[in-house]
Short mmCIF file of all heavy atoms in Angstrom, two decimals:
data_model
loop_
_atom_site.label_atom_id
_atom_site.label_comp_id
_atom_site.label_asym_id
_atom_site.label_seq_id
_atom_site.Cartn_x
_atom_site.Cartn_y
_atom_site.Cartn_z
N MET A 1 7.36 -14.64 -8.85
CA MET A 1 6.03 -14.71 -8.28
C MET A 1 6.16 -14.74 -6.76
O MET A 1 7.05 -15.38 -6.22
CB MET A 1 5.31 -15.96 -8.76
CG MET A 1 3.92 -16.06 -8.16
SD MET A 1 3.05 -17.60 -8.41
CE MET A 1 2.83 -17.61 -10.14
N ILE A 2 5.25 -14.06 -6.11
CA ILE A 2 5.18 -14.04 -4.65
C ILE A 2 3.80 -14.53 -4.25
O ILE A 2 2.80 -14.10 -4.78
CB ILE A 2 5.40 -12.62 -4.11
CG1 ILE A 2 6.80 -12.12 -4.49
CG2 ILE A 2 5.21 -12.60 -2.61
CD1 ILE A 2 7.05 -10.69 -4.12
N SER A 3 3.77 -15.47 -3.31
CA SER A 3 2.50 -15.98 -2.81
C SER A 3 2.30 -15.49 -1.38
O SER A 3 3.18 -15.63 -0.54
CB SER A 3 2.52 -17.51 -2.84
OG SER A 3 1.33 -18.03 -2.31
N ILE A 4 1.12 -14.91 -1.11
CA ILE A 4 0.84 -14.35 0.21
C ILE A 4 -0.68 -14.32 0.42
O ILE A 4 -1.44 -14.28 -0.54
CB ILE A 4 1.45 -12.95 0.34
CG1 ILE A 4 1.40 -12.44 1.77
CG2 ILE A 4 0.80 -11.98 -0.61
CD1 ILE A 4 2.27 -11.24 2.02
N ASN A 5 -1.10 -14.33 1.66
CA ASN A 5 -2.54 -14.26 1.93
C ASN A 5 -3.01 -12.81 1.87
O ASN A 5 -2.23 -11.87 1.83
CB ASN A 5 -2.89 -14.93 3.25
CG ASN A 5 -2.33 -14.21 4.45
OD1 ASN A 5 -1.99 -13.03 4.41
ND2 ASN A 5 -2.22 -14.94 5.55
N GLU A 6 -4.30 -12.62 1.90
CA GLU A 6 -4.88 -11.28 1.74
C GLU A 6 -4.63 -10.38 2.94
O GLU A 6 -4.71 -9.16 2.83
CB GLU A 6 -6.37 -11.37 1.45
CG GLU A 6 -7.22 -11.97 2.55
CD GLU A 6 -7.28 -13.48 2.56
OE1 GLU A 6 -6.69 -14.12 1.67
OE2 GLU A 6 -7.92 -14.03 3.46
N VAL A 7 -4.28 -10.94 4.09
CA VAL A 7 -4.04 -10.16 5.29
C VAL A 7 -2.81 -9.26 5.13
O VAL A 7 -2.81 -8.09 5.50
CB VAL A 7 -3.89 -11.07 6.53
CG1 VAL A 7 -3.51 -10.27 7.76
CG2 VAL A 7 -5.16 -11.86 6.76
N ASP A 8 -1.74 -9.79 4.56
CA ASP A 8 -0.49 -9.05 4.43
C ASP A 8 -0.27 -8.45 3.05
O ASP A 8 0.80 -7.92 2.76
CB ASP A 8 0.68 -9.97 4.77
CG ASP A 8 0.67 -10.39 6.22
OD1 ASP A 8 0.39 -9.53 7.07
OD2 ASP A 8 0.93 -11.56 6.51
N LEU A 9 -1.28 -8.50 2.20
CA LEU A 9 -1.14 -8.03 0.82
C LEU A 9 -0.74 -6.55 0.75
O LEU A 9 0.15 -6.18 -0.01
CB LEU A 9 -2.44 -8.25 0.05
CG LEU A 9 -2.44 -7.82 -1.41
CD1 LEU A 9 -1.37 -8.57 -2.18
CD2 LEU A 9 -3.80 -8.05 -2.02
N TYR A 10 -1.37 -5.70 1.53
CA TYR A 10 -1.08 -4.27 1.49
C TYR A 10 0.38 -3.99 1.83
O TYR A 10 1.07 -3.24 1.14
CB TYR A 10 -1.99 -3.49 2.44
CG TYR A 10 -1.62 -2.04 2.53
CD1 TYR A 10 -2.02 -1.15 1.54
CD2 TYR A 10 -0.86 -1.55 3.58
CE1 TYR A 10 -1.67 0.19 1.60
CE2 TYR A 10 -0.50 -0.22 3.65
CZ TYR A 10 -0.90 0.65 2.65
OH TYR A 10 -0.54 1.96 2.70
N ASN A 11 0.86 -4.60 2.93
CA ASN A 11 2.24 -4.37 3.35
C ASN A 11 3.25 -4.88 2.34
O ASN A 11 4.25 -4.21 2.07
CB ASN A 11 2.50 -5.01 4.71
CG ASN A 11 1.75 -4.33 5.83
OD1 ASN A 11 1.55 -3.12 5.80
ND2 ASN A 11 1.32 -5.09 6.81
N LEU A 12 3.01 -6.04 1.77
CA LEU A 12 3.92 -6.58 0.77
C LEU A 12 3.94 -5.70 -0.48
O LEU A 12 5.00 -5.44 -1.05
CB LEU A 12 3.54 -8.00 0.39
CG LEU A 12 4.43 -8.64 -0.68
CD1 LEU A 12 5.87 -8.73 -0.18
CD2 LEU A 12 3.91 -9.99 -1.08
N ASN A 13 2.78 -5.22 -0.90
CA ASN A 13 2.70 -4.34 -2.05
C ASN A 13 3.51 -3.06 -1.81
O ASN A 13 4.24 -2.59 -2.68
CB ASN A 13 1.24 -4.01 -2.35
CG ASN A 13 1.08 -3.32 -3.68
OD1 ASN A 13 1.65 -3.73 -4.67
ND2 ASN A 13 0.30 -2.25 -3.69
N TYR A 14 3.41 -2.51 -0.60
CA TYR A 14 4.15 -1.30 -0.24
C TYR A 14 5.66 -1.55 -0.30
O TYR A 14 6.41 -0.76 -0.87
CB TYR A 14 3.74 -0.86 1.16
CG TYR A 14 4.48 0.35 1.65
CD1 TYR A 14 4.14 1.62 1.21
CD2 TYR A 14 5.53 0.22 2.55
CE1 TYR A 14 4.82 2.74 1.65
CE2 TYR A 14 6.21 1.33 3.00
CZ TYR A 14 5.86 2.59 2.55
OH TYR A 14 6.54 3.68 2.98
N VAL A 15 6.11 -2.66 0.27
CA VAL A 15 7.54 -2.99 0.28
C VAL A 15 8.05 -3.21 -1.14
O VAL A 15 9.10 -2.68 -1.53
CB VAL A 15 7.81 -4.24 1.15
CG1 VAL A 15 9.23 -4.74 0.98
CG2 VAL A 15 7.53 -3.93 2.61
N CYS A 16 7.32 -3.97 -1.94
CA CYS A 16 7.74 -4.25 -3.32
C CYS A 16 7.78 -2.97 -4.16
O CYS A 16 8.68 -2.80 -4.98
CB CYS A 16 6.83 -5.29 -3.97
SG CYS A 16 7.06 -6.94 -3.29
N ASP A 17 6.82 -2.08 -3.96
CA ASP A 17 6.83 -0.80 -4.67
C ASP A 17 8.08 0.01 -4.34
O ASP A 17 8.67 0.64 -5.21
CB ASP A 17 5.59 0.03 -4.34
CG ASP A 17 4.35 -0.45 -5.06
OD1 ASP A 17 4.46 -1.30 -5.96
OD2 ASP A 17 3.25 0.03 -4.71
N ASN A 18 8.49 -0.02 -3.07
CA ASN A 18 9.69 0.71 -2.66
C ASN A 18 10.97 0.08 -3.19
O ASN A 18 11.93 0.78 -3.48
CB ASN A 18 9.75 0.84 -1.14
CG ASN A 18 8.80 1.88 -0.62
OD1 ASN A 18 8.84 3.03 -1.05
ND2 ASN A 18 7.92 1.50 0.28
N ILE A 19 11.00 -1.22 -3.33
CA ILE A 19 12.19 -1.91 -3.82
C ILE A 19 12.27 -1.86 -5.34
O ILE A 19 13.30 -1.50 -5.91
CB ILE A 19 12.21 -3.38 -3.35
CG1 ILE A 19 12.35 -3.43 -1.83
CG2 ILE A 19 13.33 -4.16 -4.02
CD1 ILE A 19 12.18 -4.80 -1.24
N PHE A 20 11.18 -2.23 -6.02
CA PHE A 20 11.19 -2.39 -7.47
C PHE A 20 10.58 -1.22 -8.23
O PHE A 20 10.75 -1.10 -9.43
CB PHE A 20 10.44 -3.67 -7.87
CG PHE A 20 10.99 -4.91 -7.21
CD1 PHE A 20 10.24 -5.59 -6.27
CD2 PHE A 20 12.25 -5.39 -7.52
CE1 PHE A 20 10.73 -6.73 -5.65
CE2 PHE A 20 12.76 -6.53 -6.91
CZ PHE A 20 12.00 -7.20 -5.98
N GLY A 21 9.82 -0.36 -7.54
CA GLY A 21 9.12 0.75 -8.18
C GLY A 21 7.73 0.34 -8.62
O GLY A 21 7.50 -0.81 -9.02
N GLU A 22 6.79 1.28 -8.53
CA GLU A 22 5.40 0.99 -8.89
C GLU A 22 5.25 0.58 -10.34
O GLU A 22 4.36 -0.21 -10.69
CB GLU A 22 4.53 2.22 -8.62
CG GLU A 22 4.36 2.55 -7.16
CD GLU A 22 3.47 3.76 -6.94
OE1 GLU A 22 2.59 4.02 -7.79
OE2 GLU A 22 3.66 4.44 -5.92
N GLU A 23 6.12 1.08 -11.22
CA GLU A 23 6.02 0.77 -12.65
C GLU A 23 6.38 -0.68 -12.96
O GLU A 23 6.07 -1.18 -14.05
CB GLU A 23 6.90 1.72 -13.47
CG GLU A 23 8.39 1.57 -13.23
CD GLU A 23 8.90 2.29 -11.98
OE1 GLU A 23 8.13 2.98 -11.30
OE2 GLU A 23 10.10 2.13 -11.72
N SER A 24 6.97 -1.40 -12.01
CA SER A 24 7.35 -2.80 -12.23
C SER A 24 6.20 -3.77 -11.93
O SER A 24 6.30 -4.94 -12.23
CB SER A 24 8.55 -3.17 -11.35
OG SER A 24 9.67 -2.43 -11.73
N PHE A 25 5.12 -3.28 -11.31
CA PHE A 25 3.98 -4.13 -10.98
C PHE A 25 3.31 -4.62 -12.26
O PHE A 25 3.02 -3.84 -13.16
CB PHE A 25 2.97 -3.35 -10.13
CG PHE A 25 1.78 -4.17 -9.72
CD1 PHE A 25 1.85 -5.05 -8.67
CD2 PHE A 25 0.58 -4.05 -10.41
CE1 PHE A 25 0.75 -5.80 -8.30
CE2 PHE A 25 -0.53 -4.80 -10.05
CZ PHE A 25 -0.44 -5.67 -8.99
N LEU A 26 3.07 -5.92 -12.36
CA LEU A 26 2.45 -6.49 -13.56
C LEU A 26 0.99 -6.85 -13.34
O LEU A 26 0.11 -6.40 -14.05
CB LEU A 26 3.21 -7.74 -14.01
CG LEU A 26 4.65 -7.51 -14.46
CD1 LEU A 26 5.31 -8.84 -14.78
CD2 LEU A 26 4.71 -6.55 -15.63
N VAL A 27 0.72 -7.71 -12.36
CA VAL A 27 -0.64 -8.19 -12.17
C VAL A 27 -0.81 -8.75 -10.75
O VAL A 27 0.12 -9.23 -10.14
CB VAL A 27 -0.98 -9.28 -13.22
CG1 VAL A 27 -0.15 -10.52 -13.01
CG2 VAL A 27 -2.45 -9.63 -13.20
N LYS A 28 -2.02 -8.66 -10.23
CA LYS A 28 -2.38 -9.31 -8.98
C LYS A 28 -3.29 -10.48 -9.36
O LYS A 28 -4.35 -10.29 -9.93
CB LYS A 28 -3.13 -8.36 -8.07
CG LYS A 28 -3.48 -8.94 -6.73
CD LYS A 28 -4.40 -8.07 -5.88
CE LYS A 28 -4.05 -6.62 -5.90
NZ LYS A 28 -4.97 -5.80 -5.10
N MET A 29 -2.82 -11.70 -9.09
CA MET A 29 -3.57 -12.89 -9.49
C MET A 29 -4.11 -13.55 -8.22
O MET A 29 -3.36 -13.83 -7.29
CB MET A 29 -2.66 -13.85 -10.23
CG MET A 29 -3.37 -15.06 -10.75
SD MET A 29 -2.39 -16.07 -11.90
CE MET A 29 -0.85 -16.27 -11.06
N ILE A 30 -5.40 -13.81 -8.20
CA ILE A 30 -6.05 -14.41 -7.04
C ILE A 30 -6.70 -15.72 -7.46
O ILE A 30 -7.37 -15.78 -8.49
CB ILE A 30 -7.12 -13.45 -6.46
CG1 ILE A 30 -6.48 -12.14 -6.07
CG2 ILE A 30 -7.84 -14.10 -5.28
CD1 ILE A 30 -7.47 -11.06 -5.70
N TRP A 31 -6.48 -16.76 -6.69
CA TRP A 31 -7.13 -18.03 -6.98
C TRP A 31 -7.45 -18.75 -5.68
O TRP A 31 -6.90 -18.45 -4.64
CB TRP A 31 -6.28 -18.91 -7.89
CG TRP A 31 -5.13 -19.58 -7.21
CD1 TRP A 31 -5.13 -20.83 -6.66
CD2 TRP A 31 -3.82 -19.05 -6.99
NE1 TRP A 31 -3.91 -21.10 -6.10
CE2 TRP A 31 -3.08 -20.02 -6.31
CE3 TRP A 31 -3.21 -17.85 -7.31
CZ2 TRP A 31 -1.77 -19.83 -5.94
CZ3 TRP A 31 -1.89 -17.67 -6.94
CH2 TRP A 31 -1.20 -18.64 -6.27
N GLN A 32 -8.37 -19.68 -5.76
CA GLN A 32 -8.75 -20.48 -4.61
C GLN A 32 -8.43 -21.93 -4.94
O GLN A 32 -8.87 -22.46 -5.95
CB GLN A 32 -10.24 -20.33 -4.31
CG GLN A 32 -10.68 -21.12 -3.10
CD GLN A 32 -12.14 -20.88 -2.77
OE1 GLN A 32 -12.81 -20.05 -3.38
NE2 GLN A 32 -12.65 -21.59 -1.79
N SER A 33 -7.65 -22.54 -4.09
CA SER A 33 -7.25 -23.93 -4.31
C SER A 33 -8.45 -24.86 -4.11
O SER A 33 -9.23 -24.70 -3.18
CB SER A 33 -6.13 -24.31 -3.34
OG SER A 33 -5.82 -25.66 -3.47
N THR A 34 -8.55 -25.84 -4.96
CA THR A 34 -9.59 -26.86 -4.81
C THR A 34 -8.98 -28.25 -4.64
O THR A 34 -9.68 -29.24 -4.71
CB THR A 34 -10.53 -26.87 -6.04
OG1 THR A 34 -9.75 -27.15 -7.20
CG2 THR A 34 -11.26 -25.56 -6.19
N SER A 35 -7.66 -28.29 -4.41
CA SER A 35 -6.99 -29.58 -4.31
C SER A 35 -6.67 -29.94 -2.87
O SER A 35 -5.64 -30.52 -2.59
CB SER A 35 -5.71 -29.55 -5.14
OG SER A 35 -4.82 -28.57 -4.63
N GLY A 36 -7.56 -29.62 -1.95
CA GLY A 36 -7.35 -29.94 -0.55
C GLY A 36 -7.58 -31.41 -0.27
O GLY A 36 -7.96 -32.18 -1.15
N LEU A 37 -7.34 -31.80 0.95
CA LEU A 37 -7.56 -33.19 1.33
C LEU A 37 -9.06 -33.48 1.41
O LEU A 37 -9.83 -32.68 1.91
CB LEU A 37 -6.93 -33.47 2.69
CG LEU A 37 -5.41 -33.35 2.76
CD1 LEU A 37 -4.95 -33.51 4.21
CD2 LEU A 37 -4.76 -34.40 1.89
N ILE A 38 -9.44 -34.63 0.90
CA ILE A 38 -10.85 -35.05 0.91
C ILE A 38 -10.98 -36.27 1.81
O ILE A 38 -10.32 -37.28 1.60
CB ILE A 38 -11.34 -35.38 -0.52
CG1 ILE A 38 -11.23 -34.15 -1.41
CG2 ILE A 38 -12.76 -35.92 -0.48
CD1 ILE A 38 -11.54 -34.44 -2.87
N LYS A 39 -11.82 -36.15 2.83
CA LYS A 39 -12.06 -37.28 3.73
C LYS A 39 -13.29 -38.03 3.24
O LYS A 39 -14.31 -37.45 2.96
CB LYS A 39 -12.29 -36.82 5.15
CG LYS A 39 -11.06 -36.21 5.79
CD LYS A 39 -11.36 -35.83 7.23
CE LYS A 39 -10.12 -35.26 7.87
NZ LYS A 39 -10.37 -34.90 9.27
N GLU A 40 -13.16 -39.33 3.13
CA GLU A 40 -14.30 -40.15 2.69
C GLU A 40 -14.75 -41.07 3.79
O GLU A 40 -14.06 -41.47 4.62
CB GLU A 40 -13.92 -40.96 1.47
CG GLU A 40 -13.67 -40.08 0.28
CD GLU A 40 -13.40 -40.89 -0.98
OE1 GLU A 40 -13.81 -42.06 -1.04
OE2 GLU A 40 -12.80 -40.34 -1.87
#
């Protein structure tokens, strides 16, 4: 698994396709963390 922000997603996808091949791509999973610090 590789974790990266949306800014560099295109470049990382390009590099990984060249290293592993496009047929090795499985899934792009996007989530938003909700476990940040909470100030009370």
Side-chain angles (χ1 to χ4, degrees):
M1 179 190 295
I2 298 174
S3 178
I4 191 166
N5 66 21
E6 64 276 358
V7 175
D8 294 318
L9 181 60
Y10 174 80
N11 291 326
L12 179 62
N13 191 46
Y14 178 78
V15 170
C16 289
D17 283 350
N18 284 305
I19 294 172
F20 304 112
E22 291 181 28
E23 66 279 357
S24 296
F25 181 80
L26 296 176
V27 66
K28 183 188 317 179
M29 184 169 49
I30 302 171
W31 76 93
Q32 181 176 355
S33 175
T34 60
S35 62
L37 296 174
I38 299 173
K39 293 183 179 181
E40 293 185 22

